[in-house]
Each structure stands twice: as structure tokens, then as C-alpha cells.
Amino acid sequence: MYIGISAVLAINLPVLILAFSPHCDAKGPVATCRQIAKAVSSLSAVAWPSSPQYAKDISHWQESSVQIAACSVEPGTAEDVGKIRLVGANKTPSKYNGNSPLAGIFDDYLAIPQASRNISTRSFTSFMESINYSGVLAPSGNRSLFNAVAVADFSRAILDAALNETKKCLCDINSLCAEPFLPSILSHAFGSSAYPPNRAQRFQPQAIYYYTWEDPQSDEVMQDAARASACQLRNVALSEGQDIADAPLYGKYAIFDTPVEQIYGNNLPKLKRIKAEYDPDNVMGLSGVLSRRG
């Protein structure tokens, strides 16, 4: 299933896409879709494969992120969203995306005093422009991926090595992004944090964005290239004497099969205990992104 909540959720708003692979068992995604169709009101809609609405709902500007679903659901009321909680009981992987605001569903989120707000139904291009993204958007239909390196500082040698890696890539468009943080970045919060797991030293994320290629048969080649680039940049930092052997990777940029220990470090046992207490049914794991890293 394709339901749950993503980072873009608060801006893009409501369509629920259910099931990565349509199985016909009694507790599988198709059965879940049928239960939802019976449970929700006439103000909500369930779309099935072959329908134009279904094709629209599962589409993604980045082709490698398209996931075939058993159905898609567009809830029409907050009450219907509550009914769709049965998805969690059936352990159906899910994601939440959307076309129009649902009254009241994001009130708690929008009430955060520190949050800046620019909420509207919008195209992906409009969304990227709203956050002042200055990079190059991938042409619709192409494939892409992220990888990450953590360094203590961005030296000239590291930046030169990053530039050299962009020249090696066989993809159509590629980008390596350095994100320098002020030395005081870790002073803005007190106590512990899930990430970074150790607040004694500042590490700076560098994103390797191999952006983009078209042929799905090139996926493994491009994934290996991204890993090789990360290894090269890490080796340059180590050769300079930077203490990054145990530096945590930024989860947003880390490649899909990164061991979760490399993101949360020694915090992982505590995070697992918290998850066992507050999310024993692994509802958050239904988003796909979290579940593939453990």
C-alpha cells in the first residue's frame, strides 16, 4: 500500500495510495482496499488500477519513486481518515499524498508557533519554488537517488574532489551539495536528540545526488557509482586527519540500504524501546522509507 505521511504531506495534501503489490489473500492490500471502500462515506473515493484517477494518484515526477499500488483512496472527510486506520491493523504499507486540504487534519501541525506557513494545493514545481530550491529539477519520468557523506569541515581538497566526482558520472544531470553549518549549530537545543546521536561534535552533511538517468537497467550501476563517490570523499576527509570514522550519516540523504546504526548510532537501542512502547504495531513502518532501514 501506498498511505502514511511524508515530509511533503503538509504542503501537498490528501490522497492515500494503498499497497506496493496487489496480493489476493484475505489480509492483503486488495482486501484492505475493499474494507476501506465499504467503510468510508460517499464523500471519499477508492480508485482501482486501469482507472485514470488511479494512474494520476500513483504518479511521481521521479519515475524511480513510482510504486504500483492495489488501489488509491481520496478521503473526503476527517471522519473517513479515522476509518482508514484499519490499514494499520492489516499491516499494509502506505503513504499519504494529496490534492486538496482536508479541514482540521493539520490543525495541530500548523499550530506550532515556530513554523512558517505557505500552505496551498500546488504543483511539485510550485512546491520546490516555495522553499527557494536553487537546484535543477529532474525531467519528469527520470530516475534518481541520494547518498550521503559526513565530514567535519569542507576543505578545498574535499570540494575539489566533489567537483571531480561530478565529472565521472555517466548520468544526464548530477549534483553534489555541501551544507556547511555554523559551529554553534548544536547549541540551539539542550539534552539528547535522535540525530545526531552525539552532540559533542558537529558533522556536516554532504549530499551526493546522482540526478538523473532513464533506463531502469542502469539502477545498480548508478547506485554503485553513488557509493563509490561517497567512499572517495570520505577517504579524502580521512586523509586530511578529519575524525569522521564514526560520523553519523544524515538520514534524509543516506542511500536506501544504509544500516540504521550509521544514522542513529548508540541511540538506536533507546529509539527501539520508544518505538516498542508507542508504536508496537509498526504503523510508522508502513510509510516504506522507515521500514526499509529497520
Side-chain angles (χ1 to χ4, degrees), residues 7 22 30 33 58 68 72 105 116 134 163 174 177 197 212 221 258 286:
V30 172
C33 289
I58 70 165
I68 302 302
S72 66
I105 193 171
S116 60
S134 59
L163 176 61
N174 67 85
C177 174
T212 63
V221 173
T258 298
L286 302 179

Side-chain angles (χ1 to χ4, degrees), residues 20 31 40 42 44 64 71 77 84 86 99 116 130 134 179 188 196 233 264 284 290:
F20 295 131
V40 297
S42 60
S44 297
S64 52
C71 70
T77 68
I84 295 170
L86 61 88
N99 299 322
S116 60
S130 75
S134 59
E179 296 188 358
H188 300 298
L233 296 178
Y264 299 114
M284 290 301 297
L290 298 175

Side-chain angles (χ1 to χ4, degrees), residues 22-240:
H23 301 296
C24 294
D25 57 280
K27 293 186 178 180
V30 172
T32 299
C33 289
R34 290 171 179 158
Q35 290 180 53
I36 291 174
K38 292 180 180 179
V40 297
S41 71
S42 60
L43 297 176
S44 297
V46 177
W48 298 91
S50 78
S51 72
Q53 186 61 46
Y54 168 89
K56 179 180 178 181
D57 289 344
I58 70 165
S59 65
H60 193 282
W61 66 277
Q62 181 179 297
E63 185 180 344
S64 52
S65 294
V66 173
Q67 293 171 307
I68 302 302
C71 70
S72 66
V73 181
E74 183 165 3
T77 68
E79 289 76 15
D80 281 349
V81 172
K83 295 175 182 177
I84 295 170
R85 290 181 61 188
L86 61 88
V87 171
N90 284 342
K91 297 293 190 297
T92 305
S94 58
K95 181 180 177 183
Y96 187 69
N97 192 10
N99 299 322
S100 57
L102 198 60
I105 193 171
F106 297 118
D107 286 354
D108 290 343
Y109 176 86
L110 296 175
I112 299 173
Q114 295 82 1
S116 60
R117 303 164 193 174
N118 185 357
I119 306 299
S120 68
T121 300
R122 66 211 318 165
S123 66
F124 183 81
T125 300
S126 172
F127 165 63
M128 297 304 286
E129 290 174 346
S130 75
I131 58 173
N132 298 317
Y133 179 73
S134 59
V136 180
L137 292 179
S140 179
N142 282 15
R143 310 175 72 77
S144 62
L145 60 80
F146 276 107
N147 199 6
V149 180
V151 298
D153 290 292
F154 290 112
S155 67
R156 177 62 182 265
I158 289 177
L159 295 177
D160 285 344
L163 176 61
N164 187 55
E165 290 303 308
T166 67
K167 298 176 181 179
K168 294 180 182 179
C169 184
L170 301 177
C171 49
D172 300 326
I173 306 172
N174 67 85
S175 170
L176 275 80
C177 174
E179 296 188 358
F181 292 152
L182 292 173
S184 60
I185 183 66
L186 297 179
S187 67
H188 300 298
F190 300 96
S192 61
S193 57
Y195 174 91
N198 185 341
R199 302 183 67 84
Q201 181 180 356
R202 173 202 61 173
F203 292 105
Q204 313 201 60
Q206 183 163 23
I208 298 171
Y209 203 179
Y210 274 86
Y211 203 18
T212 63
W213 67 99
E214 295 183 0
D215 187 358
Q217 295 185 359
S218 298
D219 286 1
E220 290 188 9
V221 173
M222 301 310 301
Q223 292 161 10
D224 288 343
R227 294 186 183 100
S229 287
C231 182
Q232 173 63 17
L233 296 178
R234 186 173 185 273
N235 287 339
V236 171
L238 288 169
S239 71
E240 294 183 328

